């Protein structure tokens, strides 16, 4: 677990950050005391948060396998990368098709440091990183065009990122702008926390986390998540818990819901 003093000055280790919080839940080492304290606080209210993190990561892996395998997608724009863990987008995609091109986007300085060192892809493909806020779609698209051919289908990955865009109108504008930039045959892969599982306990966990976090977030219902998929063909089984997407339907639900939609 990192508590090193030789970090860039813009990294405030005294305030929990979403990427480091998630890293801690997944058993990573790139987090600080404030992040671990926030995790312990959240676990008291939502004991299954570690299962949520694992289910989210497993969903990403399954979705990328299907898109790179069955759907033949060779370009991935992963927004809200987070800290490198097992089964990252490029690892899965290039394991199936080494020529795949992946562009990661995040605006956390510590994520940038690790991405530059660890997010290295195959010689046949390309793996690049953009330092940008998810709301800055123009910058994302301009920089990604150095790697991604926007005349060809793209999988836009937005796992656990729209919940940090609190304004619904702004969140929709981000998704609409991204989908407007990719051609037919492209996909949107979405994961987002809801109160569908846990109800008031989940809402209270988020409220308390937001009191200390530098990156507050909000819950959205499955019905609200469906509005981000308007106009897309949603792959079976629809909008479900990450633990139940293309898995055993009897798997225990987690509060992170997900969907994959195809642009016609």
């Amino acid at each position: 677990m990192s508590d090193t003093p030789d970090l860039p000055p813009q990294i405030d280790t005294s305030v929990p950050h979403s990427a480091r919080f998630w890293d801690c839940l997944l058993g990573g080492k790139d987090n600080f005391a404030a992040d671990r304290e926030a995790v312990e606080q959240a676990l008291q209210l939502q004991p299954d948060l570690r299962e949520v993190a694992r289910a989210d990561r497993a969903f990403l892996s399954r979705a990328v396998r299907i898109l790179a395998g069955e759907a033949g997608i060779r370009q991935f724009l992963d927004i809200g990368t987070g800290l490198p863990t097992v089964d990252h987008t490029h690892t899965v995609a290039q394991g199936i098709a080494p020529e795949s091109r992946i562009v990661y986007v995040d605006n956390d300085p510590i994520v940038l440091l690790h991405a530059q060192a660890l997010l290295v892809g195959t010689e046949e493909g390309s793996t690049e990183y953009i330092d940008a806020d998810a709301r800055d779609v123009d910058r994302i698209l301009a920089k990604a065009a150095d790697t991604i051919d926007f005349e060809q289908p793209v999988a836009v990955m937005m796992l656990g990122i729209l919940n940090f865009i609190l304004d619904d109108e702004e969140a929709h504008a981000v998704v609409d702008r991204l989908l407007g930039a990719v051609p037919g045959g492209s996909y949107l892969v979405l994961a987002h926390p809801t109160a569908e599982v846990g109800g008031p306990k989940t809402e209270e966990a988020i409220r308390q986390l937001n009191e200390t976090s530098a990156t507050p977030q909000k819950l959205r219902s499955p019905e609200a998540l469906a509005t981000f998929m308007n106009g897309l063909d949603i792959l079976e089984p629809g909008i479900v818990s990450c633990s139940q997407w293309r898995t055993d339907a009897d798997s225990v639900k987690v509060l992170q819901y997900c969907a994959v939609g195809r642009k016609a």
Side-chain angles (χ1 to χ4, degrees):
M1 298 178 185
S2 301
D3 282 298
T4 55
D6 54 343
L7 291 168
Q10 65 267 39
I11 297 179
D12 185 352
T13 63
S14 68
V15 178
H17 189 281
S18 59
R20 302 193 304 261
F21 181 93
W22 206 249
D23 175 72
C24 185
L25 281 175
L26 287 168
K29 298 180 179 180
D30 299 300
N31 50 77
F32 302 95
D35 307 301
R36 298 190 287 274
E37 290 169 8
V39 165
E40 290 306 316
Q41 180 186 30
L43 285 170
Q44 290 178 13
L45 289 166
Q46 200 74 45
D48 65 343
L49 275 182
R50 285 198 171 91
E51 286 70 30
V52 173
R54 295 187 189 107
D56 177 272
R57 179 57 48 173
F59 161 66
L60 179 149
S61 180
R62 291 194 302 276
V64 172
R65 283 195 189 97
I66 287 170
L67 294 182
E70 297 176 14
I73 297 296
R74 296 294 179 264
Q75 303 186 116
F76 295 80
L77 179 58
D78 189 335
I79 302 173
T81 304
L83 287 159
T85 58
V86 296
D87 290 340
H88 228 58
T89 299
H90 77 281
T91 306
V92 179
Q94 292 179 345
I96 294 170
E99 71 275 20
S100 297
R101 289 173 282 178
I102 293 86
V103 173
Y104 290 111
V105 180
D106 209 296
N107 69 338
D108 180 14
I110 198 168
V111 172
L112 174 59
L113 287 175
H114 286 79
Q116 291 171 332
L118 299 176
L119 297 181
V120 179
T122 60
E123 292 182 1
E124 301 94 326
S126 180
T127 304
E128 301 296 338
Y129 181 92
I130 298 173
D131 182 10
D133 189 283
R135 300 170 183 84
D136 195 353
V137 179
D138 288 343
R139 173 178 169 80
I140 291 171
L141 293 175
K143 292 288 187 180
D146 293 338
T147 302
I148 288 176
D149 177 3
F150 283 101
E151 298 295 319
Q152 300 297 319
V154 181
V156 179
M157 316 285 294
M158 302 192 77
L159 281 72
I161 186 64
L162 285 177
N163 43 302
F164 295 107
I165 304 178
L166 307 185
D167 182 80
D168 290 340
E169 186 174 341
E170 184 177 23
H172 276 280
V174 167
V175 174
D176 291 347
R177 177 78 174 88
L178 288 165
L179 290 177
V182 297
S186 295
Y187 290 81
L188 173 63
V189 182
L190 181 67
H192 195 297
T194 80
E196 194 77 3
V197 177
K201 279 191 173 183
T202 299
E203 293 170 349
E204 179 61 14
I206 293 296
R207 187 193 68 78
Q208 290 199 22
L209 181 60
N210 285 349
E211 288 182 350
T212 57
S213 176
T215 50
Q217 59 181 304
K218 72 180 295 183
L219 302 169
R220 289 186 173 95
S221 68
E223 292 74 22
L225 298 186
T227 63
F228 292 104
M229 293 279 172
N230 283 345
L232 303 181
D233 298 323
I234 302 179
L235 274 59
E236 293 293 338
I239 299 172
V240 297
S241 170
C242 283
S243 60
Q244 296 184 333
W245 196 88
R246 302 286 177 103
T247 62
D248 184 349
D250 293 329
S251 299
V252 176
K253 289 183 179 180
V254 297
L255 62 87
Q256 190 90 332
Y257 270 45
C258 66
V260 178
R262 182 182 186 275
K263 182 176 179 178

